[in-house]
């Protein structure tokens, strides 16, 4: 907290400007500058606290590139097979950290559990772009990166610059559930950080879209939104996008985190009471069900209007009776306008439910919030097992894309499982058991993949430079044992 990050000391700047403007280096790069602007990930009081923060950060990251995730034993601290007790309130702002980490009850102090292991969530970049919360946590001891939407209104403070006499401190209110330039930048940076640390990632999505005002467009909200897509395209670890209860994913926000951006890595899920769609129900209803359509539907469905229409047609043209009936029709239409509008909004809302999202294939499954912890723990373990085997395959055959590696893994499963047990592939727990049971056979199969790759490379090289291949075979035979040379000669003699 008392160690500024600066480019030039305040004395040198004062000499450069010819007058005493700054009085301390904290004005240039102190905690009130470098923490709110995202340069500093964590803020600590003492050197010991700094070391502790660094060690805690490192505890989430594999020891070596491509290594296994550091799994923590949660015995006595938490359990995997439990419900998530904290439930977001409908239509009310709440602290999203409680959804992740749990909280103590305000009245009696009892513990309400969250999604991740108790005490495992560590927030990062907390002072910057407060409409998005990012950090690292553990699920059943497995370390993961976390991104969640802040649903409450936040405040961004732009300090005054002592070098500019006309500047003043600005407090900018930022609505929750919206991506602003700084929060979109923070999201993209967090994704790049997690990917570099080789961590799986959970995104708890509750965005209505991007802020598209003039100032936000000038501050490059489109560029930072595109950086989120770039970071997702480059992500190499399992990534889960989950819409929590009473949350919604709309408009450009949906486009940015859609699983088709990186289908080999990303999976989308939704809670029972969540909503998702490009337009909100009111917007969709106002476009699809305009005033003329409302009147036509009312005349088609409302018994009173149907009778009035018949009476109007039967009344003489231009008579007072006809005019009175037409006036009654107009009053009835006005009375039904709000009723039919509510029905239209509800009908549009039915298209945004998790069931409808599942039916159209935009989410993989509807997961109840109470059992989401157990579900995603086993799903994460299964995806990690798949990714581990796929990574080994790709090391044996560097030209193999991840999609092909995952396809081969499924094909191997289908060849080993009886026809009536193919459904086990969709059961994460049983799939994990299959990986363990067939570990040795998978190794043998991967060796066959390696041999096929080497054979294909030898064939390609023979076509490009047959003389070099012959010379390479001669050198290889010199290092072989007599039995191996005899085996090679026998194989060549059969050609």
């Amino acid at each position: 907290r008392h160690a500024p990050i600066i480019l030039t000391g305040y004395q040198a700047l004062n000499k450069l400007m010819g007058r005493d403007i700054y009085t301390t280096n904290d004005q240039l790069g102190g905690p009130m500058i470098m923490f709110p602007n995202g340069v500093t990930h964590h803020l600590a009081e003492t050197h010991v606290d700094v070391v502790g923060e660094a060690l805690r950060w490192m505890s989430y990251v594999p020891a070596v590139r491509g290594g296994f995730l550091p799994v923590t034993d949660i015995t006595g601290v938490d359990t995997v097979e439990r419900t998530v007790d904290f439930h977001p309130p409908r239509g009310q702002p709440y602290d999203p950290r409680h959804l992740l980490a749990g909280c103590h009850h305000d009245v009696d102090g009892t513990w309400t559990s969250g999604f991740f292991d108790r005490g495992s969530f560590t927030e990062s970049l907390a002072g910057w772009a407060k409409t998005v919360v990012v950090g690292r946590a553990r699920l059943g001891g497995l370390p993961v990166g976390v991104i969640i939407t802040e649903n409450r209104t936040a405040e961004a403070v732009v300090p005054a610059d002592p070098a500019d006499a006309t500047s003043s401190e600005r407090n900018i209110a930022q609505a929750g559930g919206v991506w602003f330039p700084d929060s979109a930048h923070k999201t993209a940076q967090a994704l790049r950080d997690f990917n570099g640390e080789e961590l799986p990632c959970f995104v708890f999505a509750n965005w209505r879209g991007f802020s598209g005002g003039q100032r936000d467009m000038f501050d490059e909200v489109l560029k930072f939104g595109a950086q989120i897509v770039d970071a997702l395209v480059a992500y190499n670890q399992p990534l889960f996008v989950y819409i929590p209860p009473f949350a919604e994913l709309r408009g450009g926000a949906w486009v940015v985190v859609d699983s088709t951006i990186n289908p080999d890595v990303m999976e989308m899920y939704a809670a029972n009471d969540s909503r998702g769609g490009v337009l909100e129900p009111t917007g969709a209803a106002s476009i699809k069900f305009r005033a003329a359509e409302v009147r036509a539907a009312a005349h088609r469905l409302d018994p009173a209007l149907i009778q009035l229409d018949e009476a109007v047609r039967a009344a003489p043209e231009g008579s007072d009776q006809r005019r009175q009936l037409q006036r009654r029709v107009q009053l009835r239409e006005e009375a039904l306008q709000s009723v039919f509008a509510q029905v239209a909004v509800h009908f549009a809302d039915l298209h945004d439910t998790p069931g409808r999202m599942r039916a159209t294939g935009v989410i993989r499954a509807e997961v109840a919030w109470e059992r989401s912890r157990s579900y995603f723990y086993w799903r994460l373990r299964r995806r990690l097992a798949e990714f581990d085997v796929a990574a080994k395959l790709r090391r044996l055959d560097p030209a193999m894309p991840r999609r092909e590696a995952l396809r081969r893994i499924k094909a191997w499963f289908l060849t080993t499982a009886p026809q009536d047990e193919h459904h086990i592939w969709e059961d994460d727990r049983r799939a994990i058991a299959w990986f363990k049971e067939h570990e040795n056979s998978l190794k043998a199969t991967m060796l066959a993949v390696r041999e096929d790759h080497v054979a294909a490379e030898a064939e390609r090289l023979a076509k490009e430079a047959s003389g070099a291949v012959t010379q390479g075979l001669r050198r290889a035979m010199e290092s072989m044992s007599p039995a191996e040379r005899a085996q090679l000669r026998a194989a060549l003699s059969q050609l």
Side-chain angles (χ1 to χ4, degrees), residues 428-449:
D428 294 329
R429 299 194 192 196
R430 300 179 72 176
I432 293 170
W434 177 83
F435 278 105
K436 291 182 178 179
E437 292 172 5
H438 294 79
E439 185 175 359
N440 293 330
S441 61
L442 283 173
K443 290 180 180 178
T445 307
M446 285 190 285
L447 287 177
V449 170

Side-chain angles (χ1 to χ4, degrees), residues 33-99:
I33 301 295
M34 292 303 175
F35 194 52
N37 69 2
V39 171
T40 300
H41 287 75
H42 297 275
L43 195 62
E45 293 291 337
T46 66
H47 291 294
V48 175
D49 294 335
V50 169
V51 174
E53 290 284 350
L55 290 175
R56 184 175 176 85
W57 188 345
M58 292 171 62
S59 69
Y60 294 100
V61 184
V64 296
R65 177 72 65 179
F68 292 108
L69 293 174
V71 182
T72 300
D73 185 4
I74 62 170
T75 303
V77 177
D78 210 333
T79 58
V80 172
E81 302 298 336
R82 64 163 173 82
T83 59
V84 182
D85 295 334
F86 179 83
H87 203 278
R90 180 192 291 270
Q92 298 179 19
Y94 62 92
D95 190 340
R97 297 163 186 82
H98 296 168
L99 186 146

Side-chain angles (χ1 to χ4, degrees), residues 241-396:
V241 179
Y242 182 55
I243 309 176
F246 309 124
E248 56 182 342
L249 189 59
R250 303 287 183 185
W254 181 292
V255 176
V256 166
V257 296
D258 189 87
S259 60
T260 57
I261 292 173
N262 193 348
D264 300 333
V265 167
M266 298 176 64
E267 293 180 346
M268 288 193 71
Y269 299 86
N272 307 70
D273 301 314
S274 63
R275 292 292 184 269
V278 175
L279 292 176
E280 296 184 15
T282 52
S286 64
I287 295 173
K288 295 289 187 179
F289 207 51
R290 298 179 186 274
E293 284 83 0
V294 172
R295 286 194 298 271
H299 282 270
R300 187 177 67 253
L301 301 173
D302 183 58
L305 276 178
I306 293 174
Q307 292 180 359
L308 287 171
D309 289 340
E310 293 176 354
V312 168
R313 286 191 295 269
E317 187 72 30
S319 64
D320 290 340
Q321 180 186 4
R322 188 183 184 97
R323 284 192 291 271
Q324 290 176 0
L325 289 171
Q326 289 174 339
R327 176 58 180 166
R328 289 175 61 187
V329 169
Q330 183 180 359
L331 292 175
R332 183 63 179 172
E333 288 176 348
E334 293 174 355
L336 292 176
Q337 182 73 33
S338 60
V339 176
F340 274 76
Q342 292 177 20
V343 173
V345 171
H346 181 68
F347 180 73
D349 181 66
L350 293 176
H351 290 75
D352 299 338
T353 60
R356 187 58 187 161
M357 287 189 278
R358 177 69 181 91
T360 56
V362 296
I363 64 172
R364 185 178 181 275
E366 178 182 349
V367 181
W369 172 244
E370 291 77 10
R371 64 179 183 88
S372 60
R373 172 179 167 85
S374 174
Y375 178 91
F376 282 112
Y377 169 76
W378 293 107
R379 185 63 188 168
L380 175 59
R381 281 193 56 185
R382 184 257 179 78
R383 292 288 283 171
L384 289 173
E386 283 184 329
F387 274 49
D388 179 55
V389 176
K392 292 176 180 177
L393 278 175
R394 297 178 72 193
R395 284 196 291 270
L396 296 174

Side-chain angles (χ1 to χ4, degrees), residues 174-223:
Q174 296 179 327
V178 178
W179 258 318
F180 292 88
D182 57 351
S183 55
H185 188 187
K186 180 178 180 178
T187 304
Q189 179 172 322
L191 287 169
R192 289 193 295 267
D193 289 346
F194 299 153
N195 193 36
E197 297 168 11
E198 299 183 347
L199 291 178
C201 181
F202 281 87
V203 179
F204 294 87
N206 185 16
W207 288 286
R208 298 175 62 189
F210 287 85
S211 178
Q214 184 185 56
R215 181 179 61 201
D216 299 317
M217 296 296 285
F218 181 80
D219 289 339
E220 305 175 296
V221 67
L222 291 178
K223 182 179 78 173

